[in-house]
């Protein structure tokens, strides 16, 4: 055993030869105004500022998610409401409130690389895409494009006073126009989540006596599923992971269409929703066992 090793066979560290008092004196002798300490203080300030910005973006993303979910819950009342146009107008008001939150996110990201903070805002953007595309489908029976979504997220100087309080002190001047772009991955994930809402819309529409909507939704979901299968495993992991959930939603809608086509004349309209919900539970149980 060498002289550098103790009885336990572990190599001694160099500072073990110095007493605690000597090490404390070395710390006290450090010059706080030295170039090295100044550099580390600036690094500390930069990291703290970035961390605080990240936490603000997480909170904003959480608020965007909550308001978007409330908009989706409101839109589900469209099939049973006596005046569907009022529901759409109210949902537009709620989406405007969500965009004001997204405007604050865009304000925080001025002069920053969005992808450094993408993980903080991605859940909120996905939920917003889901809400906007759900409203767009109810209005037009088609899928909104990512370009149309991004057009709604361009903010002008007239919103400047409202967002000044949310900005960081590091930016003295603000541009007259700024925007926040939804990434293709966030768009795809939001559309994949949309299929679950369309499946629920199918069941609720049948319960209200609407027989045509399930067949329309079945064709629409089949087109979305075909588009996702072209991506397959070549896309991001999150997209391929959503493919299984999308397939489940499509199977439930197709099962509802099958029941309507084969046994629709036998089952009273007020009982169709109960039959579909029972079959949906059976499908979920079979997939859970498999």
């Amino acid at each position: 055993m060498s002289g550098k090793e103790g009885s336990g066979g572990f190599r001694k560290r160099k500072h073990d030869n110095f007493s605690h008092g000597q090490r404390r004196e070395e710390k006290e002798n450090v010059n706080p105004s030295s170039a090295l300490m100044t550099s580390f203080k600036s690094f500390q300030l930069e990291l703290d500022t970035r961390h605080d910005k990240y936490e603000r973006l997480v909170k904003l993303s959480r608020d965007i998610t909550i308001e978007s979910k409330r908009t989706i819950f409101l839109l589900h009342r469209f099939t049973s409401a006596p005046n569907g146009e009022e529901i759409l107008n109210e949902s537009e008001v709620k989406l405007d409130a969500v965009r004001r939150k997204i405007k604050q996110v865009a304000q925080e990201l001025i002069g920053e690389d969005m992808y450094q903070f993408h993980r903080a805002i991605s859940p909120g953007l996905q939920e917003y895409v889901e809400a906007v595309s759900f409203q767009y489908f109810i209005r037009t029976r088609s899928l909104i494009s990512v370009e149309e979504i991004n057009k709604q997220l361009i903010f002008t100087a007239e919103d400047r006073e409202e967002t000044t309080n949310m900005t960081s002190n590091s930016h003295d001047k603000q541009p007259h126009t700024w925007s926040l772009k939804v990434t293709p991955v966030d768009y795809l994930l939001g559309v994949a989540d949309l299929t679950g809402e369309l499946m629920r819309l199918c069941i609720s529409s049948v319960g209200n006596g609407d027989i045509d909507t399930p067949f329309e939704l079945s064709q629409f979901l089949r087109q979305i599923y075909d588009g996702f299968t072209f991506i397959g495993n070549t896309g991001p992991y999150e997209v391929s992971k959503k493919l299984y959930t999308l397939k489940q939603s499509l199977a439930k809608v197709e099962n509802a269409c099958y029941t309507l086509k084969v046994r629709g004349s036998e089952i009273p309209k007020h009982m169709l929703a109960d039959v579909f919900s029972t079959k949906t539970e059976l499908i979920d149980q079979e997939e859970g066992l498999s």
Side-chain angles (χ1 to χ4, degrees), residues 34-51:
S34 64
L36 181 62
M37 293 301 296
T38 303
S39 298
F40 272 96
K41 285 181 180 179
S42 64
F43 297 155
Q44 179 186 6
L45 179 61
E46 181 180 353
L47 291 174
D48 289 342
T49 303
R50 187 172 296 274
H51 177 74

Side-chain angles (χ1 to χ4, degrees), residues 233-252:
N233 295 327
T234 60
Y237 170 73
E238 295 86 355
V239 175
S240 59
K241 189 177 178 182
K242 294 278 187 180
L243 190 60
Y244 175 74
T245 305
L246 197 160
K247 188 176 181 181
Q248 278 184 315
S249 301
L250 176 61
K252 292 172 184 177

Side-chain angles (χ1 to χ4, degrees), residues 36-173:
L36 181 62
M37 293 301 296
T38 303
S39 298
F40 272 96
K41 285 181 180 179
S42 64
F43 297 155
Q44 179 186 6
L45 179 61
E46 181 180 353
L47 291 174
D48 289 342
T49 303
R50 187 172 296 274
H51 177 74
D52 293 341
K53 184 184 290 288
Y54 190 92
E55 291 300 319
R56 290 196 300 271
L57 290 173
V58 169
K59 292 178 181 179
L60 287 171
S61 177
R62 192 180 301 119
D63 294 339
I64 293 170
T65 301
I66 293 172
E67 293 299 326
S68 298
K69 285 183 180 294
R70 290 174 178 170
T71 305
I72 293 172
F73 295 153
L74 173 66
L75 288 170
H76 275 295
R77 292 165 45 195
F78 178 81
T79 56
S80 59
N83 189 354
E85 194 63 30
E86 291 183 1
I87 298 295
L88 291 176
N89 292 335
E90 188 177 350
S91 67
E92 187 63 31
V93 173
K94 287 184 175 294
L95 287 176
D96 286 338
V98 176
R99 293 187 191 101
R100 286 195 291 271
K101 293 290 184 181
I102 297 178
K103 177 176 59 183
Q104 296 176 15
V105 173
Q107 195 75 16
E108 289 283 356
L109 293 177
I110 293 176
E112 300 284 357
D113 184 3
M114 189 194 75
Y115 289 96
Q116 291 185 354
F117 301 93
H118 181 254
R119 195 170 183 178
I121 62 177
S122 179
L125 293 179
Q126 293 176 30
E127 201 69 30
Y128 170 73
V129 170
E130 182 181 355
V132 170
S133 57
F134 191 32
Q135 184 206 50
Y136 190 85
F137 176 82
I138 292 175
R139 285 185 184 272
T140 65
R141 288 299 192 264
S142 60
L143 181 64
I144 189 172
S145 64
V146 65
E147 291 81 11
E148 293 179 15
I149 293 177
N150 286 331
K151 284 180 182 178
Q152 300 174 357
L153 301 181
I154 298 176
F155 310 107
T156 56
E158 61 185 11
D159 304 318
R160 183 174 179 177
E161 293 181 359
E162 191 174 332
T163 54
T164 301
N165 295 330
M166 297 299 299
T167 57
S168 174
N169 295 329
S170 59
H171 301 289
D172 295 330
K173 294 183 180 180

